Amino acid sequence: MLTSFRNLLDRLILFISSFALMLLVVTVTWQVFSRYVLNDPSSWTGELARYTMVWLGLLGAGYLFGVKGHLAITLLDGYLRGRAHTALQLLINGISFAFVSLAMFKGGIALMGRTGQQLSPALQLPMSTVYSILPISAIIILIYLTLNTIELFCKPHKK
């Protein structure tokens, strides 16, 4: 059941990320075309490209937690076996969980609250909408951290 949930979440994130990447390509292509061919640069394309890039990056970071491809220092991890390896992974997951909960989720919610009335210059979007990716990606990362922690106890160690 956990594997099917993980696969569903993976596919959802990849679908949204693929859409964001296509939007980014179209937006930047239109920006270049309107600037150099039409000599009338669009005012909204640069802003949309920036916001799309941020969303794409944070969704990608969440996905990397799911496939355990995030940045990690594996020097100590490579030498540990059995319970010591599990304990290290629990410590790493716990520290990551605390950071993501406080910095990304709680901080993202606070940032959204402070910027709810502020509008982006060109698109006139509420900035809280732009910053909503922080708690969204935090939830994704927290789900993956929880799944990774459960899997520490469910799967036999291959080391």
Side-chain angles (χ1 to χ4, degrees), residues 47 51 54-55 58 104-121 123-137:
E47 190 173 288
Y51 298 155
V54 170
W55 273 66
L58 286 169
M104 290 180 70
F105 186 75
K106 187 176 180 187
I109 295 290
L111 184 61
M112 286 175 61
R114 286 193 304 269
T115 58
Q117 301 300 320
Q118 181 183 353
L119 299 177
S120 66
L123 295 172
Q124 295 296 300
L125 284 173
M127 290 304 292
S128 59
T129 304
V130 175
Y131 294 134
S132 67
I133 190 59
L134 283 168
I136 290 170
S137 63

Side-chain angles (χ1 to χ4, degrees), residues 17 46-47 49 57 59 64 70 89 95 98 104 106 117 119 124 130 141-142 144 149:
S17 297
E47 190 173 288
L59 284 173
L64 283 175
H70 53 80
Q89 292 303 313
I95 292 170
M104 290 180 70
K106 187 176 180 187
Q117 301 300 320
L119 299 177
Q124 295 296 300
V130 175
I141 292 171
L142 293 173
Y144 278 130
T149 302

Side-chain angles (χ1 to χ4, degrees), residues 69-110:
H70 53 80
L71 181 63
I73 300 171
T74 57
L75 178 67
L76 186 57
D77 185 53
Y79 290 109
L80 298 177
R81 306 276 188 263
R83 288 185 180 176
H85 179 263
T86 302
L88 177 64
Q89 292 303 313
L90 284 173
L91 177 66
I92 291 169
N93 287 354
I95 292 170
S96 297
F97 201 94
F99 173 79
V100 170
S101 296
L102 293 174
M104 290 180 70
F105 186 75
K106 187 176 180 187
I109 295 290

